[in-house]
Amino acid sequence: KGWSYTHPTMSTPSFRSAPSYAPEKGVFPLDHFAECKRASVEYLACLDKNGADASACEALSRAYLERRMGKELMAKQPMEELGFRPPSSQSDDDARAKRREEAQKEEREPSERVAGLRTSRR
């Protein structure tokens, strides 16, 4: 008879993973045929141009999502549920964009400024 050696059972930690949940908006297909590529590129270019200010590119974002819904790459749902304001508030966006452009123009124009002195806005 040979050695009869019993190994103690090796204890490995049992990792219990947290329960997995489905994404909040569900799974949607990727744009394999680049049907929405142009809208995506325009939106990203707008973000780059406006210093990542998504509110300045809201119209392009809306157009991109509407195109995805139209091509059945995502479920159709009201834009308000996706965080967009109703179209009636678009004039507010236009006014805000105009003020932002004016502020950027003022920053580019050389002017006589004194450090620490506040000036009134026009």
Side-chain angles (χ1 to χ4, degrees), residues 8-117:
T9 54
M10 295 184 69
S11 174
T12 56
S14 62
F15 295 102
R16 293 188 179 161
S17 62
S20 60
Y21 299 102
E24 187 176 320
K25 293 291 180 183
V27 177
F28 53 89
L30 297 175
D31 188 10
H32 292 292
F33 302 110
E35 296 172 280
C36 306
K37 179 82 173 173
R38 182 174 177 203
S40 171
V41 169
E42 288 174 357
Y43 175 69
L44 294 173
C46 179
L47 284 177
D48 190 43
K49 176 184 170 191
N50 291 290
D53 179 14
S55 64
C57 307
E58 186 173 330
L60 291 171
S61 176
R62 179 186 295 265
Y64 172 69
L65 292 172
E66 287 173 342
R67 179 147 178 97
R68 284 190 64 89
M69 285 186 249
K71 296 290 183 178
E72 297 181 1
L73 293 172
M74 64 183 286
K76 291 184 181 184
Q77 63 187 112
M79 296 306 284
E80 289 78 19
E81 289 181 13
L82 296 173
F84 291 94
R85 290 172 287 199
S88 62
S89 65
Q90 204 64 20
S91 60
D92 295 339
D93 291 341
D94 294 340
R96 205 173 303 126
K98 187 174 182 178
R99 284 194 303 269
R100 185 175 32 253
E101 287 175 16
E102 289 172 359
Q104 289 174 350
K105 184 179 177 183
E106 286 178 10
E107 289 176 7
R108 284 184 253 131
E109 292 176 357
S111 63
E112 295 180 28
R113 296 188 181 184
V114 177
L117 180 64

